Amino acid sequence: MMPRLGTQYNLEIEVMSKPKAEYHTEEYYVLDLPTAPAVMVADEIVVEGCDIGEKDLEDHIRRHLGLEPVPKEKGWLKGLLKGKKE
């Protein structure tokens, strides 16, 4: 999801992956980074210690770029009728 959103919005995505034990060292705490798993957009911690849905992450990215949020779909029936010709 993140590489696709990075390409879509022309953003640099940096993924940090370490063994779980390294996130609980004094050296890691000195960096003042959020507790993993985490997602940051610029200097803002979006989520820390849990996952985030694609729509929520995209809304945070769009806000950071000064863009309007993606409009929400209205109801399940609209999804069923999407693409159906009248």
Side-chain angles (χ1 to χ4, degrees):
M1 149 177 67
M2 292 194 9
R4 184 186 60 74
L5 289 174
T7 301
Q8 180 178 344
Y9 292 104
N10 194 26
L11 297 171
E12 179 182 333
I13 303 290
E14 180 180 347
V15 177
M16 294 177 64
S17 180
K18 301 177 183 211
K20 190 174 183 177
E22 286 190 39
Y23 290 109
H24 299 287
T25 63
E26 187 174 326
E27 292 82 13
Y28 183 79
Y29 290 116
V30 169
L31 296 173
D32 200 30
L33 293 172
T35 303
V39 174
M40 295 178 69
V41 175
D43 292 333
E44 177 190 1
I45 298 172
V46 177
V47 294
E48 183 174 6
C50 63
D51 292 329
I52 186 170
E54 184 171 346
K55 166 89 174 75
D56 291 336
L57 178 57
E58 186 170 6
D59 286 346
H60 280 279
I61 290 170
R62 292 180 65 83
R63 260 196 308 278
H64 171 71
L65 296 174
L67 304 171
E68 293 293 320
V70 176
K72 292 183 179 181
E73 295 278 335
K74 293 184 180 176
W76 62 271
L77 185 57
K78 183 175 181 179
L80 288 175
L81 299 175
K82 190 182 248 184
K84 186 176 181 178
K85 307 276 185 202
E86 293 186 20

